[in-house]
Amino acid sequence: MHRKGNVLRNLDWFTVLLYVGLMLMGWFNIYSASYNADHQSMFDASQEYGKQFIWIITACVLAFLIMLFDGEFIRRASPVIYGITTLLLVLVLIFGKEVNGAKAWFGFGSFGIQPSEFSKLGISLMLAYYLSQVNIKIVDFKTKLTAVAILILPTLLIMLQPDTGTVLVFTAYIFVMYREGLSGNILLLGLLAIVLAVLSLVLKATTLSYFGLELPGHYFLMIFLVIAAVLIFFGIRRFVLPRFRRRNYLLLIGTVAGSLLFIGTLDQVFENVLEPHQKIRINILLGLAEDPQGAGYNVKQSKTAIGSGGFSGKGYLDGTLTKFKYVPMQSTDFIFCTIGEEWGFLGSTFVIAVFVTLMLRLIFIAERQRSNFTRIYGYSVACIFFMHLLINVGMAIGLAPVIGIPLPFFSYGGSSLWGFTILLFFLLKLDTERLVVLR
C-alpha cells in the first residue's frame, strides 16, 4: 500500500507551480480590472480583489486537505460525489438565487456558490469510475449509452437554469472517450454537425429562389443533401458496387437522414428554445446582425481593449478602457481583455502559453498512470481546461458566442476557483499514488 509519507516526494511540483502562478496572475488582473482608488488595498474584503484573496486562501486549504485523502477513497467515492453534485443541481432550481436571468446560484450574503462548477468534478469522476471497470469497452453500444446517460442528467438540469456555457464545456468529454477507444467517425460526425449548424443558421437568414420555388435557404440545404445522397448511391451502384458493403449503404442513408433530422431540430431549437438574447448573440457571431450598442457591445469593447494594448501593452493599472470600466464583466467573463490591454500581445501570448503548458502537463500525468481510472480522469481535467480556455479567449476576441465561461484561475469568483482547484488536486493526489496499480 502507498505510504502517505511519499506524498510530498511524489507530488508533481511543476504542476503546483503552474497552478500558483496562474492563480496569482489572475488575482493581480482582478485587482486591475476592478480597481477602486478609495480601496487600494488588495486585501480589502469589500472589493472583488479582497474577496478573491479569501477564495484563494480557502482554495489552498482545500488543496492541502485533498492531499490527506487516499486515492482509493477518491475512486470509491466517485458515485457518491456524482450523486451529490447532481442533487445540488436539482436543489439550486428550487432554492437558488437568480443572477443575470439564470437560477444557478446559492446565495450566502455577499458570497455565492454555483453548483454547475462542481458538476464537472462529479461527471469526470463518475465517467472515469465507469469506464475503468473490468470488461467495460467503449466500443460496446451499452457502454456508449451508459456514458451518455452519465452526462445527460446533469446537462438537462443545467439547461433548465439555463447555463448554456457549462453545457458547451461538457462536449469536451467526447475527446476523453476518443482517447479510450471511441471511433474517430464520431468526431467526424461532430465536425459535420458543426458545419451543418453554421450553414443552416447562415442560410436560414436568406430566402433563395430556384425554378420559381422560394424557400428559406436551409430548406435548399436539405434538398441538396438528398440529391447528393441519391447521386452517390447510384454512382456507387454503377462503378464500385462489388467492393461496397451493405453496411456502408446503411451508413450513407443514416448520415443523410440524421443530417436532415439535425437541421430540422436545430431550426426548432433556435426558434423555440433559445432566449432572444442568445439568438442575437449567435446572429452577431455569424455576421447576420449588427448591434454595436446592444448584444454586440461587450465583444466590441473587449476587442477594442485588447487591440489597444498593442505589442507590449499599456502597463499594469494603466489600461484606460479597463480603468474606466468600458468593458462589462471585465473581471469575470472578459478578464482576458484586461490582460490584452495592459500586457499586450506579449503578455497575452505568455498567459496562453502557461495554460497550454499546464494542459500538456496534465496529459503527460494522465499518460504515465498505471490506473485506468486516473488516466481517464486526467484526460477529463485536461479537456475541461482546454474548453474553458478556448471558449473564454474566443469570446473575448469575437470568435465564440458570449455564453459566460470563466477563464480558469483568472476570472473573479469562488465557485470556479474552488471547482478548478478540486479538479486539479484530485488528479495530483491520484498521481502521487501512480506506482500503485488501481483499477
Side-chain angles (χ1 to χ4, degrees), residues 130 138 140-152 177:
Y130 173 70
I138 195 68
D140 296 337
F141 178 75
K142 181 181 177 182
T143 301
K144 295 175 187 174
L145 194 62
T146 306
V148 170
I150 291 171
L151 288 169
I152 201 68
M177 289 187 279

Side-chain angles (χ1 to χ4, degrees), residues 59-374:
C60 291
V61 172
L62 277 175
F64 172 77
L65 293 176
I66 289 171
M67 289 296 109
L68 302 179
F69 285 102
D70 182 76
E72 181 64 10
F73 171 79
I74 294 175
R75 189 190 71 81
R76 291 182 180 276
S78 295
V80 177
I81 295 173
Y82 174 77
I84 292 173
T85 55
T86 303
L87 177 61
L88 289 174
L89 294 176
V90 175
L91 294 177
V92 79
L93 293 173
I94 303 172
F95 304 106
K97 179 176 66 174
E98 188 170 316
V99 178
N100 295 328
K103 203 170 185 181
W105 296 81
F106 289 118
F108 304 97
S110 60
F111 292 93
I113 295 294
Q114 188 175 10
S116 61
E117 291 295 337
F118 303 100
S119 65
K120 302 162 194 172
L121 172 69
I123 293 174
S124 299
L125 288 171
M126 190 62 202
L127 201 62
Y129 181 84
Y130 173 70
L131 294 178
S132 63
Q133 297 293 312
V134 179
N135 299 326
I136 292 295
K137 297 180 180 179
I138 195 68
V139 294
D140 296 337
F141 178 75
K142 181 181 177 182
T143 301
K144 295 175 187 174
L145 194 62
T146 306
V148 170
I150 291 171
L151 288 169
I152 201 68
L153 179 57
T155 299
L156 291 175
L157 291 171
I158 292 172
M159 287 179 67
L160 291 174
Q161 294 179 1
D163 182 2
T164 53
T166 299
V167 171
L168 186 57
V169 169
F170 287 170
T171 60
Y173 289 108
I174 193 172
F175 298 111
V176 179
M177 289 187 279
Y178 175 72
R179 168 60 182 84
E180 294 306 306
L182 186 69
S183 171
N185 291 333
I186 303 297
L187 291 180
L188 290 177
L189 287 175
L191 179 62
L192 174 63
I194 294 173
V195 172
L196 285 177
V198 173
L199 282 175
S200 178
L201 291 174
V202 170
L203 292 174
K204 177 183 172 63
T206 62
T207 300
L208 301 179
S209 176
Y210 287 99
F211 305 109
L213 183 65
E214 290 190 1
L215 290 173
H218 65 297
Y219 283 8
F220 280 100
L221 176 61
M222 299 170 76
I223 294 171
F224 170 79
L225 289 173
V226 173
I227 294 174
V230 171
L231 293 176
I232 292 173
F233 177 79
F234 284 106
I236 289 172
R237 292 197 58 172
R238 174 67 178 84
F239 298 107
V240 294
L241 180 60
R243 300 186 300 276
F244 202 72
R245 297 178 182 178
R246 182 176 178 179
R247 65 187 297 268
N248 291 331
Y249 282 122
L250 297 176
L251 179 62
L252 174 63
I253 295 172
T255 301
V256 174
S259 299
L260 297 177
L261 179 63
F262 175 76
I263 294 173
T265 303
L266 180 69
D267 182 45
Q268 292 301 313
V269 169
F270 188 84
E271 291 296 334
N272 303 317
V273 177
L274 294 183
E275 298 292 334
H277 69 276
Q278 293 173 328
K279 297 179 187 178
I280 294 173
R281 288 172 179 175
I282 292 174
N283 285 331
I284 290 173
L285 178 68
L286 297 177
L288 302 176
E290 292 186 5
D291 188 14
Q293 297 302 319
Y297 179 79
N298 293 7
V299 175
K300 180 177 181 293
Q301 294 298 101
S302 176
K303 290 165 66 176
T304 301
I306 294 172
S308 69
F311 185 71
S312 58
K314 298 176 180 178
Y316 187 61
L317 294 178
D318 288 332
T320 52
L321 277 80
T322 298
K323 180 177 293 184
F324 295 107
K325 308 294 187 296
Y326 280 106
V327 184
M329 299 181 291
Q330 63 185 23
S331 63
T332 53
D333 297 344
F334 286 92
I335 189 69
F336 191 76
C337 76
T338 304
I339 301 170
E341 184 180 20
E342 297 187 350
W343 299 14
F345 174 79
L346 285 177
S348 300
T349 302
F350 175 76
V351 170
I352 292 175
V354 176
F355 271 111
V356 171
T357 302
L358 174 63
M359 288 181 286
L360 291 175
R361 187 66 182 181
L362 294 178
I363 293 174
F364 170 78
I365 291 173
E367 286 293 344
R368 73 182 178 186
Q369 303 302 314
R370 296 179 180 181
S371 162
N372 291 336
F373 173 83
T374 307

Side-chain angles (χ1 to χ4, degrees), residues 23 34 40 254 267 386 408:
M23 194 162 53
S34 56
Q40 296 187 21
D267 182 45
F386 169 73

